[in-house]
């Protein structure tokens, strides 16, 4: 918007000039700032000092009054001052720890928590008339070290409830809880009440065991309690037996260990096939035999919780396993005939399988096994079946493999030269070789005798 002078015509009477000058004078007067009151500092600890500093009070102030609260009741008056008589008068809330300054500011000494709240500076002036200016004063307690009180120092898991209280309980104070140095997590089994000063563990678990701390804090101070240790008794859980093995070799040692989660430490005992064995965590048998087969039961108890638990493990002692061997009638077989191989083992109840040229042998229409795999039958046999055969026996602990058996297969190379001829030729060659050896021996003996007779 343009100033009022820009709206005047070029030539005007002198009365118009006077009016314009008056308007310009009013327009140029600066607007007076509104009165305010500031708390210095904005927040204060009890026992300290706070100044309620007044700003922009009018010059024609005639009187002012300080009240606690937003009203103007006599019962809330702290102090008032009359500018004309320059006299101050104390109200009902004056405590002797207040000082009024000439500029209208109010100093509060050694403040208490009850002095927190709204203060009202009510001023009187010719220009403003009567006006109230408000300021909020925040007084916080000076926190000392809190302490934790509990209805019990030890509890049983799943049975007991625990109530922890942080003392003292103060106004304008926030309370936080920590367990094992970490902020207490949200849990369905915990309840915070009484402004978080009370922590209730509805049904304790082992996870609630440890040192508890409560921290009291406000914007100006903080303090943490000495840790309170809560002990939680639990268990015994279902025990575990180590090692997990079920089978042990005959003649070797047997060692079993029983472990169960428990606090305090569980008490242990063992039974073997229903008969008491010992009251230790371990079972040790130096040299086992099949008489040690049976059910091994570990029993655990916790007198602090009054609870018991157990677990049972079946143990089987396995006989020593010697190397097997293969029985076979003929290691040279004619093609299209059949062959039986038998795996001989001193042990019963073992697993048996066969290998051919170091590869697992599977059943086919020509290759069959007996019900317990001890006998291998190949019928009819072909030249592809020539090679190395072995059998392997195993119990749950170890396995043993037989020495290899080489099987030869004689086959007919062509129809014009039957296999029988080859066999006959082979036998004839063996006969001729034998006769040659005998002839050579006779010849050698004859000349040896002749040489002896001619010696002088």
């Amino acid at each position: 918007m343009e100033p009022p002078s820009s709206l005047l015509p070029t030539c005007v009477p002198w009365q118009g000039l006077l009016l314009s000058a008056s308007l310009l004078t009013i327009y140029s007067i600066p607007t007076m700032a509104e009165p305010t009151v500031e708390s210095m500092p904005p927040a204060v600890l009890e026992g300290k000092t706070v100044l309620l500093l007044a700003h922009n009070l009018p010059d024609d102030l005639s009187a002012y009054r300080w009240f606690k609260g937003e009203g103007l009741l006599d019962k809330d008056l702290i102090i008032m001052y009359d500018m004309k008589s320059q006299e101050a008068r104390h109200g009902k809330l004056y405590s002797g720890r207040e000082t009024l300054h000439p500029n209208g500011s109010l100093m509060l000494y050694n403040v208490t928590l009850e002095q927190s709240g709204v203060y009202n500076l009510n001023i009187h002036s010719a220009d403003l008339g009567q006006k109230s200016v408000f300021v909020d004063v925040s007084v916080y307690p000076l926190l000392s070290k809190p302490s934790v009180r509990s209805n019990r120092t030890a509890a049983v898991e799943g049975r007991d409830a625990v109530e922890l209280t942080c003392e003292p309980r103060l106004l304008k104070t926030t309370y936080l809880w920590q367990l094992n140095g970490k902020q207490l997590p949200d849990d369905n089994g915990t309840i915070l009440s009484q402004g978080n000063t009370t922590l209730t563990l509805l049904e304790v678990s082992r996870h609630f065991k440890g040192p508890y701390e409560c921290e009291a804090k406000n914007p100006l101070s903080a303090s943490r309690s000495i840790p309170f240790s809560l002990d939680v008794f639990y268990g015994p859980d279902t025990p575990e037996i180590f090692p997990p093995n079920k089978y042990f070799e005959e003649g070797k040692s047997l060692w079993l260990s029983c472990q169960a989660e428990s606090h305090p430490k569980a008490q242990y005992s063992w039974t073997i096939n229903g008969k008491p064995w010992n009251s230790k965590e371990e079972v040790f048998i130096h040299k086992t035999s099949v008489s040690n087969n049976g059910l091994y039961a570990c029993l655990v108890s916790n007198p602090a919780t009054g609870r018991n638990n157990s677990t049972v493990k079946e143990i089987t002692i396995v006989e020593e396993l010697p190397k097997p061997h293969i029985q076979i009638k003929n290691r040279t077989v004619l093609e299209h005939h059949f062959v039986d191989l038998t795996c001989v083992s001193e042990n019963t109840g073992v697993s048996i399988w066969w290998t051919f040229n170091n590869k697992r042998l599977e059943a086919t229409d020509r290759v069959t096994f007996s019900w317990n795999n001890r006998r291998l039958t190949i019928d009819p046999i072909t030249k592809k079946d020539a090679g190395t055969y072995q059998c392997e026996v195993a119990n749950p602990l170890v396995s043993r493999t037989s020495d290899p058996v080489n099987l030869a297969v004689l086959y007919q190379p062509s129809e014009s030269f039957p296999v029988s001829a080859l066999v006959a030729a082979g036998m004839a060659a063996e006969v001729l070789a034998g006769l040659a050896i005998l002839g050579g021996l006779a010849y050698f003996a004859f000349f040896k005798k002749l040489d002896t007779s001619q010696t002088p």
Side-chain angles (χ1 to χ4, degrees), residues 402-427:
S402 69
D403 292 331
V405 168
N406 294 316
L407 180 65
V409 178
L410 295 178
Y411 57 92
Q412 183 175 348
S414 64
E415 295 182 359
S416 61
F417 207 144
V419 174
S420 57
L422 286 174
V423 175
M427 294 176 63

Side-chain angles (χ1 to χ4, degrees), residues 65-68 72-80 89-98 115:
R65 297 176 295 173
W66 279 99
F67 293 89
K68 177 67 168 27
L72 301 175
L73 301 177
D74 287 343
K75 68 180 184 63
D76 297 326
L77 180 64
I78 301 172
I79 194 169
M80 65 175 295
R89 184 169 64 86
H90 299 155
K92 292 182 178 180
L93 292 187
Y94 181 77
S95 65
R97 303 191 312 275
E98 297 87 359
Q115 290 179 281

Side-chain angles (χ1 to χ4, degrees), residues 54 68 144 149 158 163 183 211 220 254 265 341 423 441 448:
K68 177 67 168 27
S144 58
R149 176 175 55 84
E163 185 176 275
Q183 185 173 347
L220 299 179
L254 166 65
K265 184 179 174 65
L341 297 92
V423 175
L441 291 174
K448 182 71 174 175

Side-chain angles (χ1 to χ4, degrees), residues 225-253:
S225 70
I226 296 174
F228 167 81
S229 184
L230 176 65
D231 201 4
V232 177
F233 301 146
Y234 59 86
D237 295 347
T238 302
E240 294 185 70
I241 299 177
F242 301 94
N245 308 28
K246 175 183 177 181
Y247 300 96
F248 292 84
E249 192 172 356
E250 183 181 23
K252 301 294 180 65
S253 62

Side-chain angles (χ1 to χ4, degrees), residues 183-229:
Q183 185 173 347
L184 196 68
D186 294 333
D187 193 288
N188 293 332
T190 63
I191 293 178
L192 287 169
S193 58
Q194 302 295 319
N196 287 4
T197 58
T198 299
L199 170 64
T200 303
L201 311 177
L202 297 177
E203 194 173 89
V204 297
S205 69
R206 64 194 67 185
H207 307 296
F208 291 135
K209 181 178 182 292
Y212 285 78
E213 297 171 280
C214 76
E215 182 181 16
K217 62 188 302 185
N218 59 40
L220 299 179
S221 65
S223 185
R224 185 175 295 178
S225 70
I226 296 174
F228 167 81
S229 184

Side-chain angles (χ1 to χ4, degrees), residues 49-52 97-101 105-109:
T49 299
V50 60
L51 174 63
L52 306 184
R97 303 191 312 275
E98 297 87 359
T99 297
L100 187 63
H101 290 273
S105 300
L106 182 65
M107 182 79 79
L108 305 178
Y109 297 95

